[in-house]
Amino acid sequence: DIIRIFDALNDIKNLKTAIKAANKEGGHAQVAISYTTGPVFTDKYYVEYAKRIADAGADSICIKDMAALLTPAKTESLVRAIKKALPEMPVQLHTHYTSGLASMCIMKAVEAGVDVVDTAMSPLALGTSHAPTESIVAAFQGTEYDTGIDLKALTEVRDYFMGLRQKYIESGLLDPKMLAVDANALIYQVPGGMLSNLLSQLKQAGKEDKL
């Protein structure tokens, strides 16, 4: 029931129709902030955009770090700034593991007051995917942020996805290269979804060596 809506240009005009449609049909309209870096992309910039998102009728906000550019310090600062400006607005963090910083960013985001974080079960985590669900659950056990999720129950889920992982690797659908960490992502800044798609297209063209 959560409809995540985003615009790569962070232009609220491009999102209003989708937000209204989600509101009309009783869906949860979650509007994402497309995170990137540069001189103009300050906490103030993102807070102003978050306010426009709230005014447009969003039910929650997602910080969408598709290229894994967030660092732990930037994450803490950004989450605190948005939560201070919009204390009643639920905020979710979506960051990829491409640069290897996702788990640390999640830890800092939670400590800064983020409400929800995106993860992936460990067989399909890391690399261009997300931080492992089981590891994040374990990290917060026994703290004020304890999820209450049973790690033993997650083991059953993990076993199922390990079988799928092997099947996908053998079929070529999942390339182990995309499960590796590459801190160069902080330099080339290509989103995780684009990287895996690019590799797939290069393979089809017989040009995998050009990645």
Side-chain angles (χ1 to χ4, degrees), residues 15-153:
L15 302 175
K16 285 181 177 176
T17 300
I19 294 169
K20 285 178 183 175
N23 291 157
K24 180 184 174 186
E25 299 302 330
H28 178 107
Q30 182 180 85
V31 179
I33 294 169
S34 294
Y35 180 81
T36 190
T37 60
V40 302
F41 299 111
T42 61
D43 285 355
K44 182 180 178 183
Y45 165 89
Y46 289 118
V47 166
E48 288 304 312
Y49 185 49
K51 289 177 180 176
R52 288 198 290 273
I53 287 171
D55 290 343
D59 295 303
S60 64
I61 290 172
C62 176
I63 300 170
K64 183 176 169 61
D65 179 28
M66 58 279 174
L69 302 180
L70 276 172
T71 63
K74 285 178 184 174
T75 304
E76 181 178 25
S77 174
L78 180 57
V79 171
R80 285 195 192 283
I82 293 174
K83 291 298 289 185
K84 182 180 179 181
L86 298 165
E88 301 302 316
M89 176 66 73
V91 177
Q92 186 156 346
L93 176 66
H94 173 98
T95 183
H96 293 253
Y97 216 95
T98 324
S99 62
L101 299 174
S103 292
M104 291 177 272
C105 291
I106 286 173
M107 181 75 78
K108 284 296 186 182
V110 169
E111 291 173 351
V114 85
D115 300 283
V116 188
V117 297
D118 288 354
T119 62
M121 288 303 296
S122 57
L124 300 175
L126 307 177
T128 54
S129 183
H130 305 287
T133 303
E134 307 95 304
S135 303
I136 298 302
V137 168
F140 291 117
Q141 275 188 332
T143 73
E144 60 183 299
Y145 311 112
D146 197 319
T147 64
I149 297 171
D150 183 358
L151 275 177
K152 289 181 180 177

